Amino acid sequence: MVFLKTLLIILLVFFGLKLMARYLGPILLKYVFKKVQKNMQEKFNSAQSQTQDKEPKSSKTFKSKPKESKVGEYVDYEEID
């Protein structure tokens, strides 16, 4: 009789946990995902503000000099039979 009581308690605990996981699982996951999303958004915003602070605030345009390449002259060789 003690064995049946123990088995019944184990089954009730198992099915109770299964039922709680079914209903509380999505709520818990939603909470965790919101926290992670908030964390990532804060990190992204702080990174964006740091990059905007580092950018020069002048509207000058810089003209780059054309690069001169001194590779050499191209020589076309013909095949001799």
Side-chain angles (χ1 to χ4, degrees), residues 48-57:
Q48 285 293 325
S49 65
Q50 286 177 358
T51 56
Q52 287 176 355
D53 291 342
K54 291 180 182 178
E55 290 179 5
K57 296 185 180 183

Side-chain angles (χ1 to χ4, degrees), residues 8-75:
L8 182 64
I9 291 172
I10 290 173
L11 286 175
L12 284 175
V13 168
F14 175 72
F15 284 116
L17 288 175
K18 190 174 177 182
L19 187 65
M20 284 176 40
R22 176 176 287 166
Y23 292 111
L24 295 179
I27 295 170
L28 182 65
L29 282 176
K30 195 181 292 186
Y31 173 75
V32 168
F33 283 137
K34 281 184 181 180
K35 291 288 272 187
V36 169
Q37 183 181 10
K38 184 178 177 184
N39 249 355
M40 294 298 286
Q41 188 70 31
E42 287 175 1
K43 287 182 183 179
F44 178 76
N45 287 339
S46 68
Q48 285 293 325
S49 65
Q50 286 177 358
T51 56
Q52 287 176 355
D53 291 342
K54 291 180 182 178
E55 290 179 5
K57 296 185 180 183
S58 63
S59 61
K60 294 180 183 177
T61 56
F62 298 102
K63 294 182 181 178
S64 61
K65 296 180 182 178
K67 295 182 180 178
E68 295 179 20
S69 62
K70 297 189 179 188
V71 176
E73 185 179 327
Y74 178 74
V75 179

